[in-house]
Amino acid sequence: MRSIKYLVLHCTATPQNTTIESIKNYWKNTLGWKSPGYHFMIKADGEVVNTLPIEQISNGVAGYNTPSIHISYIGGVDQNEKPIDNRTDAQKASQIKLLKELRKKFPNAEIKGHRDFPKVNKACPSFDVKAWLKSINF
């Protein structure tokens, strides 16, 4: 098993009704990626879909993928494609549950947002991860 230093939260920066299949097709056909961008994607109804085994490396944050597990919720932008925290209550609950499960396996892993890494110039995951974690007493 890889040594995991980070549990990274993302948004897909798509409408909340975007299908996982269309996101995977974008990665493969538009970006030319061989592996998915995230290990887990969370649908608007809270369903968690494992898109890549955690033993494998995904394409979540350039330069930080080897020690990371990537988790994304579907959404993160408004109708004008501006960043917005539009997570549903179900998505938030699923994030918390998944993070707790992963912290049991990787107790020293730091939870960060994509935008919290050096040289990242994007709003992803469209919310302040540290403030959110404090607000839920995680």
Side-chain angles (χ1 to χ4, degrees):
M1 183 60 198
R2 301 181 293 132
S3 175
I4 302 300
K5 279 181 70 174
Y6 306 107
L7 302 176
V8 186
L9 297 180
H10 299 266
C11 66
T12 58
T14 64
Q16 288 175 306
N17 63 352
T18 303
T19 65
I20 290 175
E21 216 40 56
S22 69
I23 294 167
K24 289 166 83 174
N25 285 336
Y26 173 77
W27 290 332
K28 182 178 180 181
N29 300 324
T30 303
L31 300 179
W33 291 356
K34 291 184 171 130
S35 297
Y38 318 117
H39 293 91
F40 299 95
M41 289 210 275
I42 304 172
K43 296 179 178 180
D45 66 1
E47 180 186 354
V48 176
V49 178
N50 183 208
T51 53
L52 184 71
I54 62 172
E55 296 80 19
Q56 296 179 24
I57 298 169
S58 72
N59 288 314
V61 180
Y64 293 89
N65 292 319
T66 300
S68 299
I69 294 175
H70 300 281
I71 304 161
S72 183
Y73 70 96
I74 298 177
V77 294
D78 66 15
Q79 64 275 10
N80 298 314
E81 298 188 10
K82 300 277 188 229
I84 187 172
D85 181 3
N86 58 2
R87 293 174 293 162
T88 64
D89 289 341
Q91 284 174 315
K92 290 176 187 178
S94 292
Q95 281 179 320
I96 292 166
K97 184 175 186 249
L98 183 56
L99 287 170
K100 285 182 177 179
E101 289 169 5
L102 291 169
R103 280 302 279 281
K104 285 180 185 172
K105 292 180 185 179
F106 310 103
N108 298 320
E110 182 181 354
I111 301 169
K112 296 178 79 149
H114 186 172
R115 70 185 189 185
D116 299 327
F117 285 86
K119 299 181 184 176
V120 172
N121 188 23
K122 53 176 68 181
C124 180
S126 297
F127 68 96
D128 183 329
V129 171
K130 286 185 182 187
W132 177 64
L133 291 172
K134 284 180 186 173
S135 77
I136 60 170
N137 297 313
F138 193 84

